[in-house]
Amino acid sequence: EDQVTQSPEALRLQEGESSSLNCSYTVSGLRGLFWYRQDPGKGPEFLFTLYSAGEEKEKERLKATLTKKESFLHITAPKPEDSATYLCAVGNDMRFGAGTRLTVKP
Amino acid sequence: NAGVTQTPKFQVLKTGQSMTLQCAQDMNHNSMYWYRQDPGMGLRLIYYSASEGTTDKGEVPNGYNVSRLNKREFSLRLESAAPSQTSVYFCASSEDFSVYSRRANEQFFGPGTRLTVL
């Protein structure tokens, strides 16, 4: 059975303190690794798709990378407005991880 | 362009009651999905419709039924609600999903329905 595991469950950062979120997966023949952002009381919002090991995507302070076993979401110099839950999912069977709840303090 | 819309936003049911959650998308997407989200468990797929006229079970289909009414609309029905079905329900759509495709597309989500079963 495919598995998607995210760590840490929660992360508290000071504004400007860079860090990374991890998404490890076990799936045969990956058909896409997706990152979403979810704000409280709202639906997930698409951020990135990665298809091949070595691929990288960037958007503002966020950078997503992919290996054959895991993906990282790097957050550089975060701001309070980056506070949200970040979800990853594999495209084979739309299986999601439990998410990482990020809080950025000013 | 509203994207994905869901009704109702909130609902409280008693055990044994039935209800239908409605979802519509205006992006001309072929594929639609229903998820539930529980604390600490992330999103779990209930049912999906790869294209108009087809529906398939996801990870947690028991206690639910779905109808793909047309290309735009995909409904989720609880025939006899149970407290274990208390959750937040999200509908999503994507351009195209096929088990034969080498690449999956990103999904677009609605705002969710918060359901409480007493």
Side-chain angles (χ1 to χ4, degrees):
Chain A
E1 182 180 273
D2 298 345
Q3 287 198 346
V4 182
T5 305
Q6 291 188 247
S7 62
E9 286 186 19
L11 182 62
R12 295 172 66 92
L13 299 174
Q14 287 296 126
E15 185 172 1
E17 180 186 2
S18 301
S19 188
S20 297
L21 283 57
N22 177 264
C23 172
S24 63
Y25 62 91
T26 54
V27 64
S28 178
L30 182 69
R31 299 199 290 149
L33 187 292
F34 298 85
W35 282 99
Y36 294 85
R37 169 190 171 128
Q38 186 175 24
D39 292 301
K42 297 191 175 181
E45 178 183 343
F46 170 72
L47 292 173
F48 303 109
T49 311
L50 302 164
Y51 290 109
S52 305
E55 191 174 356
E56 300 181 350
K57 296 265 180 80
E58 284 189 69
K59 181 180 179 181
E60 295 181 354
R61 295 176 292 282
L62 300 177
K63 179 180 178 180
T65 62
L66 182 67
T67 73
K68 289 186 177 180
K69 293 184 178 181
E70 56 193 350
S71 178
F72 291 94
L73 185 65
H74 307 278
I75 302 177
T76 302
K79 297 182 178 182
E81 53 261 42
D82 295 322
S83 297
T85 296
Y86 291 86
L87 302 167
C88 71
V90 294
N92 298 50
D93 57 0
M94 291 75 74
R95 188 173 295 267
F96 278 77
T100 294
R101 188 172 65 256
L102 174 66
T103 304
V104 182
K105 293 293 189 183
Chain B
N1 204 357
V4 179
T5 56
Q6 294 183 235
T7 55
K9 286 186 167 54
F10 301 93
Q11 184 72 48
V12 179
L13 293 177
K14 294 181 179 178
T15 297
Q17 287 185 318
S18 63
M19 79 161 295
T20 300
L21 281 66
Q22 306 286 355
C23 173
Q25 53 91 11
D26 62 1
M27 295 174 282
N28 201 35
H29 285 168
N30 286 317
S31 304
M32 298 184 74
Y33 314 80
W34 276 106
Y35 290 90
R36 61 178 289 173
Q37 187 174 37
D38 302 294
M41 299 196 72
L43 287 154
R44 290 183 293 169
L45 184 65
I46 304 171
Y47 271 93
Y48 70 97
S49 171
S51 60
E52 188 178 354
T54 69
T55 60
D56 285 286
K57 294 179 180 180
E59 185 184 353
V60 289
N62 291 344
Y64 306 95
N65 286 301
V66 290
S67 295
R68 184 73 182 268
L69 305 170
N70 48 56
K71 190 171 185 178
R72 289 188 63 248
E73 298 172 289
F74 189 38
S75 63
L76 178 72
R77 183 161 179 83
L78 287 71
E79 290 291 351
S80 179
S84 60
Q85 294 178 305
T86 293
S87 188
V88 181
Y89 291 85
F90 289 101
C91 176
S93 70
S94 68
E95 281 189 22
D96 210 356
F97 176 77
S98 169
V99 295
Y100 304 109
S101 172
R102 290 183 60 193
R103 291 194 166 195
N105 304 122
E106 67 270 23
Q107 295 177 323
F108 295 83
F109 285 82
T113 294
R114 192 172 296 272
L115 175 66
T116 301
V117 183
L118 303 174

